[in-house]
Amino acid sequence: MGSGRPLVSYVLPVFREEENIDLLHERLSAALETVDVDTELIFVNDGSTDDSLARLIALSERDERVVVVDLARNVGHQLAVTAGLDKADGDAVVIMDADLQDPPEVSVDLIREWQNGWDVVYAQRRTRQDGLFKRATAALFYRLLGTVSEIEIPRDTGDFRLIDRAVVEQLRQYGERSRFLRGMISDVGFRQKAVRFDRDARHAGETG
Ligand code: UDP
Ligand code: MG
C-alpha cells in the first residue's frame, strides 16, 4: 500500500482445500504480475477439518498480501464469502473459489474490465466440466429461479466476479443472514459486464 495503485481484494472461501491452496496462490501470483494493482488475498477458512488452516497460516508468513479469516465453524460458502467481503478494504473485490475451478488468470481479465470502467464484471461459463448430475441439477436450478424470482440473474454464472467498492457498500445494506449473493449483486444495478471463460474441473479434493 501507499504506492498509489488501486487495491484489489480477493475473497477466497476455503473448506477443505489443503491440496489446492499452494497451487492457487502460485497461479494467482503469476497472473497478478500482468496487472498494475496492489492486492490483498483474503482467505476465509470456513471450518475446514483438514490441513487448510495450517497451509494458509504458512502462506501468510511468506506473503504479506495474504490475510486469513478463520471462522469458528462451517457456515457455508455464501456466508464465508460475506465474512470476506466485510473484511475487504479494496477499491474492488474479486470473489473466487479456492479449488481452481475459477481460473486465476481469468480473475485478471475481470480486473482489466474494471479498469475499463465496469462496476460488476461477472465471469460467465462458456463450457461446463461438471458431470451429468451437476449439469442437470444446475439447469433445473436456473429454471426454478427464473420462475420464483423477479431478479434477472445472468445464466451460467456463479459467484466468480469482481465488484467495485460502491457495490460492496450496497451489499452491506442487506441485513439478511440467508444470502444469495449473485441475486443481490444483480439486483443492485450498476454497470455490469460479462467475461466468458471455460470453467475448469476442481484441482483436488471434493465438492463441499
Ligand atoms: N466452500 C466453503 N464452505 C463450504 C463449502 C465450500 O467455503 O461449506 C468453498 C470451497 O472451498 C470452494 C468454494 O466454496 O472454494 C466452492 O465450493 P465447492 O467447490 O465445494 O462448490 P462447487 O464448485 O462444487 O459448486
Ligand atoms: Mg468447486
Side-chain angles (χ1 to χ4, degrees):
M1 286 268 278
S3 65
R5 300 202 293 180
L7 178 69
V8 176
S9 306
Y10 276 72
V11 170
L12 305 152
V14 172
F15 178 64
R16 299 196 295 156
E17 303 289 7
E18 62 182 3
E19 300 293 338
N20 295 322
I21 288 163
D22 288 332
L23 183 60
L24 167 65
H25 178 258
E26 202 174 293
R27 272 178 59 186
L28 183 56
S29 297
L32 284 171
E33 284 180 16
T34 67
V35 70
D36 195 25
V37 296
D38 287 330
T39 51
E40 59 173 359
L41 310 179
I42 302 173
F43 288 87
V44 182
N45 180 44
D46 185 20
S48 297
T49 48
D50 66 356
D51 213 28
S52 291
L53 180 61
R55 301 273 175 115
L56 291 175
I57 289 169
L59 207 55
S60 71
E61 281 162 3
R62 59 191 158 87
D63 182 347
E64 61 179 18
R65 296 171 303 176
V66 172
V67 175
V68 181
V69 175
D70 185 31
L71 302 180
R73 64 178 176 90
N74 178 256
V75 296
H77 170 271
Q78 296 282 300
L79 283 174
V81 170
T82 302
L85 289 175
D86 287 344
K87 182 89 185 158
D89 288 325
D91 301 299
V93 179
V94 173
I95 301 169
M96 186 168 96
D97 286 354
D99 61 358
L100 289 161
Q101 286 204 269
D102 300 335
E105 299 75 19
V106 175
S107 73
V108 172
D109 295 336
L110 305 184
I111 294 173
R112 291 203 181 89
E113 292 295 357
W114 174 64
Q115 291 174 321
N116 288 336
W118 298 94
D119 298 316
V120 175
V121 190
Y122 54 86
Q124 189 164 35
R125 286 184 296 271
R126 232 181 332 239
T127 52
R128 245 183 200 282
Q129 301 288 325
D130 296 313
L132 189 62
F133 178 74
K134 178 82 189 208
R135 287 213 304 274
T137 51
L140 184 66
F141 172 76
Y142 278 104
R143 228 174 57 215
L144 279 175
L145 195 66
T147 56
V148 300
S149 165
E150 313 215 317
I151 301 169
E152 279 284 321
I153 294 174
R155 277 198 78 79
D156 294 326
T157 61
D159 289 305
F160 183 23
R161 62 191 59 212
L162 175 148
I163 55 181
D164 185 80
R165 161 65 35 196
V167 180
V168 178
E169 294 306 324
Q170 279 294 309
L171 290 180
R172 287 189 178 155
Q173 309 295 314
Y174 284 81
E176 279 94 338
R177 282 280 296 166
S178 127
R179 301 171 72 98
F180 185 57
L181 286 165
R182 278 170 254 182
M184 287 159 53
I185 293 169
S186 294
D187 198 38
V188 295
F190 293 94
R191 289 162 43 80
Q192 310 218 359
K193 162 92 176 165
V195 168
R196 307 271 286 166
F197 81 113
D198 298 309
R199 192 158 205 251
D200 290 330
R202 157 180 276 286
H203 169 68
E206 283 168 22
T207 177

